[in-house]
Amino acid sequence: MADNSVTFTDEDAQDMDFYVIEETKVNGFSYLLVCDEEDMEQGNVFILKDISAPEEEEAIYDVVQDEVELQAVSKVFSELVDGIDIEIEETELEMED
């Protein structure tokens, strides 16, 4: 994986570093395949979608959570990146009252 790191800031103003593995466009939207560790085998991989409006100066990315969209985009990334097989794991979100 190339040493192409980016820092994102979440809604709580926390910085998160990711390593960009690949980027693509699907149906007019930009997507990034990123990992939270430089070594993909040691980290978690995420697919991020650019949800910013065209007139915005900075891109706004969000984690793709829609199951159909996630399946389609992960298939594209699997074809683009040699030697990678993306497996989608469901995570349960726990909410506290």
Side-chain angles (χ1 to χ4, degrees), residues 18-36:
F18 289 104
Y19 296 88
V20 177
I21 302 165
E22 184 64 72
E23 57 186 301
T24 191
K25 275 196 167 202
V26 177
N27 293 330
F29 290 98
S30 296
Y31 293 90
L32 296 177
L33 179 65
V34 299
C35 186
D36 60 359

Side-chain angles (χ1 to χ4, degrees), residues 10 13 21 41 45 48 52 59 70 84 87 90-91:
D10 69 11
I21 302 165
E41 293 181 14
V45 176
L48 306 177
S52 57
L70 191 57
I84 190 171
E87 294 180 23
E90 282 194 40
T91 58

